[in-house]
Amino acid sequence: MSTGQHEEFDVVVVGGGPSGSTLSTLVAMQGHSVLLLEKETFPRYQIGESLLPSTIHGICHLLGVTDELAAAGFPHKRGGTFRWGASPKPWNFSFSVSSKVSGPTSFAYQVERSKFDKILLDNAARKGVVVRQDRTVTDVVDDADGRARGLRYTDPDGTEHEVSARYVVDASGNTSRIHKRVGGSRTYSDFFKSLALFGYFENGKRMPAPYAGNILCVAFGSGWFWYIPLSSTLTSVGAVVRREDAAKVQGDPESALRGLIDECPMIKEYLADATRVTTGQYGQLRVRKDYSYHHTTFWRPGMVLVGDAACFVDPVFSSGVHLATYSALLAARSLNSVLAGRIDERRAFDEFEARYRREYGVFYEFLTSFYDMHVDEDSYFWTAKKVTRSSHAELESFVELVAGMSSTDFDLSDAESSVLRLKQQSAEFADAVDDMAGRQEENMAPLFRSSAVSRAMQEGSQVQTRAQLGEYAGEDVPLFDGGLVASSDSMFWEEPHPS
Ligand code: FAD
């Protein structure tokens, strides 16, 4: 039974991670009342430390935290260094040679999420969001017509409260307990079914300048490692391995991680003089599994899913926080447009869902090609990650995911032609990596010309350009027939102007 005073807001948001704080801030900035409920007290630990430029220079710019992030001293990430593919030599993927992401905004940060997420949440409170921490949301409340109308939550002394809102947003991440209330279900990916074991080290080796801040990803027989510099001495190190190795990893994580490091000469060398952190927020080894999934629907009247509550796919290209904050921007545009009476609800949220699915689909395909590129015929992990091993069920689930998208984006006429197209895309990507890695001077042009990469960078570049240039960015274009466009300040949806 609920007790206490009954409250009413325009929007109530569950979760204070990047998706929840981004959406809340962008809606509160338009003068709407927003309540954000977070079950932990920040700063709190979270994985997902390697970011992309569109988050920093696009969405964080709109949120108004650019200077604060710059002052936080996070390492600059110029790109990624990969020991991956056919060549035994590591190659670099730099953000700087993209024609769209260039100059002073061609970097991202490697962040300690406890610090980054607190900056975004404190900023939300400063921008007018009512932030309540240490509050656990337990359920969604519907009205008699089946429309979501509010939430139930408990406060630290166990008192239950009910709050009403015109919209409920689930931004509570992969552990969301209310995502099912949107209808549909979570569909897990077979292809990306892996497990991650990770911890933190002091005094690991750094790559030479200018790559010292890059994420390093190293493929080896049992899977691949990430190696993320979080300061001049602290490094986040994680192994992604087969889901079937769960018992081994959970039984004795310490010796499992040691064994995996021993299997991977490059990571072993980088950690030769390092010591594992064993106290504080980084003191324990952690395991995450079943993290690649999408929900079959992202909204219903009165309720929206954003960030990991809706979907996530594989950490190798650092797309998690990008998708979380990008989906928050899309949903904030829909909420702002509907609350201001500018656009009909269905139109606004169909636009949100279609754009979000498209971006998730683009990264899903890009990552499929990324895995397909690596050559190791003796490894169970790597042979299982070949495009030709995509199961029929996996493809069907992908078709369901991107259903309704324009056919030029995703040609999915049947399973066989889909596999053929993905194989061609992967081969083109692998050739581009070979071409780029074989050049004397760093030149990203071949990579950015390959369709997998250019599509993965396209929407992020748009968000970034619009956030930086506003009306000088020119008019947005609809992504679909009959679709809407972003307003010049990025905060609303509009009908496209007649040309
Ligand atoms: P979260 O960050 O999970 O935030 C959700 C918040 O909701 C939490 O603070 C939680 O306490 C709160 N909450 C949960 N339940 C309730 C409740 N009932 N009531 C109130 N509050 C609640 N992404 C990257 O960009 N780069 C990377 O390098 C990267 N590496 C990754 C490695 C691994 C192994 C994995 C699994 C993921 C990785 N990610 C990475 C993904 C990244 O962690 C997520 O995409 C990102 O954190 C999603 O943000 P979010 O705001 O949606 O959710």
Side-chain angles (χ1 to χ4, degrees):
M1 216 183 75
S2 74
T3 58
Q5 188 193 345
H6 190 87
E7 294 181 288
E8 201 152 345
F9 290 83
D10 289 321
V11 179
V12 57
V13 177
V14 191
S19 61
S21 52
T22 297
L23 179 140
S24 315
T25 307
L26 297 175
V27 174
M29 282 165 71
Q30 296 306 311
H32 306 297
S33 62
V34 185
L35 171 68
L36 184 152
L37 299 165
E38 164 57 52
K39 83 173 174 196
E40 310 255 352
T41 300
F42 279 32
R44 60 92 177 88
Y45 175 84
Q46 178 59 293
I47 190 64
E49 295 139 335
S50 195
L51 305 185
L52 293 180
S54 62
T55 301
I56 302 304
H57 307 291
I59 286 160
C60 289
H61 181 80
L62 293 173
L63 296 174
V65 290
T66 306
D67 293 344
E68 219 179 322
L69 290 176
F74 297 125
H76 282 219
K77 170 186 174 184
R78 220 173 153 263
T81 300
F82 296 90
R83 163 65 196 88
W84 197 290
S87 158
K89 224 177 90 202
W91 49 275
N92 294 305
F93 179 111
S94 296
F95 301 125
S96 57
V97 193
S98 153
S99 56
K100 291 184 184 129
V101 185
S102 59
T105 58
S106 56
F107 68 91
Y109 295 119
Q110 312 284 18
V111 298
E112 293 188 63
R113 285 287 302 276
S114 52
K115 295 181 183 166
F116 178 77
D117 289 14
K118 186 163 170 16
I119 289 174
L120 297 194
L121 190 63
D122 290 349
N123 178 59
R126 276 199 306 275
K127 298 272 169 31
V129 177
V130 178
V131 174
R132 290 188 194 142
Q133 303 188 52
D134 217 352
R135 305 291 195 282
T136 301
V137 170
T138 52
D139 207 357
V140 177
V141 180
D142 284 0
D143 68 12
D145 300 328
R147 182 184 174 90
R149 281 289 179 201
L151 288 173
R152 237 170 249 131
Y153 69 94
T154 50
D155 68 16
D157 66 18
T159 309
E160 192 175 81
H161 300 262
E162 205 171 291
V163 57
S164 299
R166 292 174 70 186
Y167 286 93
V168 167
V169 177
D170 183 10
S172 63
N174 67 306
T175 60
S176 164
R177 54 198 278 182
I178 55 165
H179 65 93
K180 288 192 187 127
R181 294 296 313 278
V182 83
S185 58
R186 230 177 225 191
T187 301
Y188 289 88
S189 162
D190 264 346
F191 187 79
F192 289 106
K193 196 166 73 177
S194 302
L195 174 152
L197 167 64
F198 46 100
Y200 294 81
F201 290 80
E202 276 292 340
N203 298 319
K205 185 175 154 179
R206 290 287 173 264
M207 282 179 279
Y211 306 112
N214 274 18
I215 183 174
L216 171 65
C217 294
V218 184
F220 70 111
S222 295
W224 62 272
F225 266 101
W226 76 72
Y227 189 95
I228 302 173
L230 293 177
S231 76
S232 57
T233 59
L234 181 67
T235 310
S236 166
V237 179
V240 173
V241 296
R242 293 166 56 198
R243 175 73 173 78
E244 289 77 0
D245 289 334
K248 193 162 91 186
V249 162
Q250 275 159 336
D252 180 4
E254 197 76 50
S255 62
L257 185 62
R258 180 49 54 199
L260 291 164
I261 292 169
D262 285 344
E263 259 188 65
C264 182
M266 189 168 179
I267 295 296
K268 191 175 177 188
E269 187 219 323
Y270 269 60
L271 291 176
D273 297 324
T275 43
R276 194 168 78 71
V277 180
T278 53
T279 56
Q281 65 166 330
Y282 298 131
Q284 69 188 101
L285 293 179
R286 292 175 164 94
V287 175
R288 284 279 300 269
K289 54 183 180 354
D290 299 333
Y291 46 71
S292 296
Y293 55 79
H294 69 271
H295 205 87
T296 51
T297 181
F298 290 173
W299 81 280
R300 70 164 161 112
M303 182 174 181
V304 189
L305 306 184
V306 292
D308 276 14
C311 56
F312 176 65
V313 54
D314 199 85
V316 75
F317 198 71
S318 314
S319 54
V321 175
H322 161 67
L323 285 168
T325 52
Y326 173 73
S327 63
L329 170 66
L330 299 178
R333 279 183 195 153
S334 300
L335 289 164
N336 288 337
S337 305
V338 176
L339 290 171
R342 294 191 186 186
I343 304 271
D344 157 75
E345 177 180 88
R346 174 152 296 283
R347 202 95 207 271
F349 286 98
D350 280 351
E351 183 72 34
F352 149 78
E353 175 150 349
R355 289 202 184 220
Y356 189 8
R357 278 178 187 280
R358 180 183 181 277
E359 189 69 351
Y360 179 80
V362 162
F363 273 92
Y364 192 104
E365 279 207 2
F366 172 61
L367 293 167
T368 310
S369 297
F370 212 99
Y371 275 96
D372 196 50
M373 179 211 322
H374 191 67
V375 187
D376 188 345
E377 280 158 17
D378 301 329
S379 154
Y380 185 92
F381 180 89
W382 290 105
T383 46
K385 293 281 181 283
K386 289 284 137 196
V387 166
T388 36
R389 299 290 292 265
S390 286
S391 69
H392 203 74
E394 181 80 22
L395 288 164
E396 271 172 10
S397 130
F398 184 72
V399 171
E400 185 186 285
L401 166 77
V402 297
M405 307 287 111
S406 96
S407 56
T408 47
D409 278 340
F410 301 102
D411 176 9
L412 297 161
S413 30
D414 59 55
E416 217 171 293
S417 64
S418 297
V419 168
L420 193 65
R421 191 181 57 82
L422 278 170
K423 272 198 84 62
Q424 280 163 353
Q425 183 177 288
S426 307
E428 182 203 33
F429 186 25
D431 287 349
V433 167
D434 284 349
D435 182 354
M436 186 201 59
R439 292 176 187 229
Q440 288 299 321
E441 296 200 348
E442 187 171 90
N443 183 344
M444 293 299 116
L447 261 192
F448 285 102
R449 273 197 299 269
S450 85
S451 58
V453 177
S454 71
R455 282 171 61 213
M457 302 305 282
Q458 189 182 353
E459 188 60 9
S461 304
Q462 283 293 331
V463 166
Q464 186 168 331
T465 307
R466 187 151 299 279
Q468 295 280 335
L469 300 180
E471 61 184 297
Y472 300 107
E475 253 179 52
D476 191 21
V477 285
L479 282 188
F480 314 97
D481 283 348
L484 299 166
V485 295
S487 59
S488 59
D489 65 0
S490 292
M491 299 292 174
F492 297 89
W493 295 123
E494 290 175 347
E495 298 293 344
H497 299 165
S499 46

